[in-house]
Each structure stands twice: as C-alpha cells, then as structure tokens.
C-alpha cells in the first residue's frame, strides 16, 4: 500500500502571498490531520478532517485553513504569509477519526522570504 | 489536556553502545503512547506504540519501550545502536478515549547522534 503523499515537497514564497499544500492519505484512510513543525515550537497540531468536515482545530490564526474532498484527499491553505510561517508541514492519516495511530507523509517544506 | 516532556534534547552515543531516550507525560485520563523517528529531510515514521496490555512494547529497528504508569514514563531503549539510528526521536501521547477528537501531542524531540 502506498503511504501518505504530500505535494509539493518544497516551496518558496514571499510575505503576503498565499499557498496551498496537498495531502493524499493512505488508501482507505478517511481522517487527515495537519501539523506544523518548526525548530522553536516543535510539532504543533493544526486541524483534523473527517468526511469532508473539520472535526478538531489547534491554536492557529484564521489565515490557516483546510478542506477535505470526497476521496479523502486534503488541502491546506495559508493566506497572507508571514516569515514565521516558514516550517515543515506534515500531513498524517488514519482509518477513522479518533483512531489511535496516525501515519505521516514526508512533509512540505515552506520557506517564506 | 496532555503534555509530553522529553528530558534530553540531544543524546550522543558511540556505535554499539546501549541508549535510552527518556519521555514523561502528564494527563488526567488514560493515554496511548507513541514513539516516532524522523530522519533528516523526511516525515515521521512510527517506531512503536503502547495502547494496552503488556507494558513492554517492541518496535521496529530493534527499539523497545516500557510504559510505567506510576512514573508516567515511556522511555525508549535499544541495546546496541548503529550509525543509521542517527535521527530525531519524538514521544507523543493521545487521550485513550475511543472516538474522541483529541489530538496527538508531541514532545520537543531528542536528537540521537551515533558516532563511530
């Protein structure tokens, strides 16, 4: 079975722009979660989607948003980028929401200049 | 809410030496516990997990961890490390409530460096 895939793997943007990241979960997995990883803050939970609905949200500003499609693929959007948004964005999938084990993708590394 | 403390940010060891990476957690409810490994420029790979049952859990690559409820710890161990074990290791906790929406909470990570 193919693992979690994320595209693109690397992105460079400038302040004020917006960006969209994509995540395809493991086949059959219906829950997708997003995390931000930075050297200073570590791994922080952004949000979780299941059945095309956001079910759980972390403490991030409204500039961070996401959605999930009927095939369980998910996208994450960040508007009005700030320098502090530079990070590795990780996507994780699990069979159902609340299931104990999440499987992670390779991440998208975003650099904001 | 849950929290995780990884007591060492960096652990240098020599090849073939044993290693222990320490993890303590706090939670008001029962939890599931995980160790993930992250190699440079890669995502997180699940090493092992404790859900219930035996407190000694064996994972991939020769790693094992022991759940100690009284000490709220979940330390990761390997009897003999290899150069290829050099990576960052993350301990994580999740509330053990079936169907809950509780998120996975991570520690800050421990960088294991194996020297020849």
């Amino acid at each position: 079975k193919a693992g979690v895939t994320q595209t693109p793997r690397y992105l460079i943007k400038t302040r004020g722009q917006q960006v969209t990241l994509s995540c395809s979960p493991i086949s059959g997995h219906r829950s997708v979660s997003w995390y931000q990883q930075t050297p200073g803050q570590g791994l922080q939970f952004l949000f979780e989607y299941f059945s095309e609905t956001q079910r759980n949200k972390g403490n991030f500003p409204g500039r961070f948003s996401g959605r999930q499609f009927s095939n369980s693929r998910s996208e994450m959007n960040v508007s009005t980028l700030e320098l502090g948004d530079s990070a590795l964005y990780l996507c994780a999938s699990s069979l159902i929401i609340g299931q104990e084990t999440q499987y992670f993708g390779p991440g998208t590394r975003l650099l904001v200049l | 809410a849950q929290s995780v403390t990884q007591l060492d940010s960096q652990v240098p060891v020599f090849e073939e030496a044993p290693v222990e990476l320490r993890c303590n957690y706090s939670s008001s409810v029962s939890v599931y516990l995980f160790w993930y490994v992250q190699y440079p420029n890669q995502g997180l790979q699940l090493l092992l997990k404790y859900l219930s049952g035996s407190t000694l859990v064996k994972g991939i690559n020769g790693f094992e961890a022991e759940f100690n409820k009284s000490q709220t710890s979940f330390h990761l161990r390997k009897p003999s490390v290899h150069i290829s074990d050099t990576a960052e290791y993350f301990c994580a906790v999740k509330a053990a409530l079936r169907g809950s929406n509780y998120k996975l909470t991570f520690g800050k990570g421990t960088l294991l460096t194996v020297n020849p």
Side-chain angles (χ1 to χ4, degrees):
Chain A
K1 229 183 222 183
V4 178
T5 59
Q6 292 186 246
T7 57
R9 292 293 312 276
Y10 303 93
L11 264 179
I12 300 176
K13 293 285 187 180
T14 56
R15 277 182 300 174
Q17 287 187 309
Q18 75 162 17
V19 67
T20 299
L21 312 181
S22 180
C23 171
S24 292
I26 291 171
S27 177
H29 284 196
R30 295 169 58 198
S31 178
V32 173
S33 298
W34 289 89
Y35 294 82
Q36 181 196 64
Q37 185 179 22
T38 59
Q41 299 299 317
L43 280 150
Q44 294 185 285
F45 172 76
L46 280 155
F47 28 65
E48 180 175 24
Y49 284 87
F50 179 75
S51 291
E52 302 176 61
T53 303
Q54 187 181 93
R55 303 302 183 108
N56 200 6
K57 190 177 188 305
N59 297 321
F60 278 81
R63 299 185 298 106
F64 292 81
S65 63
R67 59 177 175 167
Q68 187 180 34
F69 302 95
S70 58
N71 61 358
S72 296
R73 190 177 70 84
S74 176
E75 287 182 348
M76 187 193 114
N77 184 276
V78 187
S79 62
T80 319
L81 283 166
E82 300 177 358
L83 296 180
D85 297 332
S86 294
L88 181 66
Y89 290 89
L90 292 163
C91 165
S93 76
S94 58
L95 273 172
I96 57 174
I97 191 168
Q99 194 198 33
E100 59 275 355
T101 305
Q102 294 183 348
Y103 297 90
F104 285 78
T108 294
R109 187 165 295 281
L110 172 64
L111 176 61
V112 182
L113 302 175
Chain B
Q2 294 78 43
S3 68
V4 179
T5 302
Q6 291 184 243
L7 296 152
D8 305 296
S9 60
Q10 296 186 52
V11 173
V13 294
F14 287 109
E15 195 173 17
E16 298 183 9
V19 71
E20 177 180 82
L21 306 184
R22 297 180 292 168
C23 171
N24 285 90
Y25 70 93
S26 67
S27 176
S28 57
V29 300
S30 295
V31 295
Y32 299 130
L33 294 155
F34 307 84
W35 276 98
Y36 285 88
V37 60
Q38 186 176 36
Y39 298 102
N41 300 314
Q42 294 188 28
L44 299 176
Q45 181 181 2
L46 181 66
L47 264 181
L48 48 79
K49 58 187 177 183
Y50 171 79
L51 304 181
S52 65
S54 173
T55 57
L56 183 62
V57 179
K58 293 191 184 296
I60 61 172
N61 301 340
F63 284 94
E64 63 180 34
E66 185 154 21
F67 170 56
N68 188 317
K69 189 174 181 180
S70 62
Q71 297 186 5
T72 60
S73 68
F74 191 54
H75 300 333
L76 181 70
R77 301 186 184 99
K78 186 170 182 178
S80 175
V81 295
H82 303 289
I83 299 284
S84 59
D85 292 324
T86 294
E88 190 147 27
Y89 293 78
F90 293 92
C91 181
V93 63
K94 183 177 172 67
L97 298 173
R98 293 289 179 186
S100 78
N101 292 337
Y102 293 126
K103 64 185 188 296
L104 201 55
T105 300
F106 287 89
K108 294 288 190 186
T110 297
L111 178 62
L112 173 65
T113 304
V114 181
N115 299 299

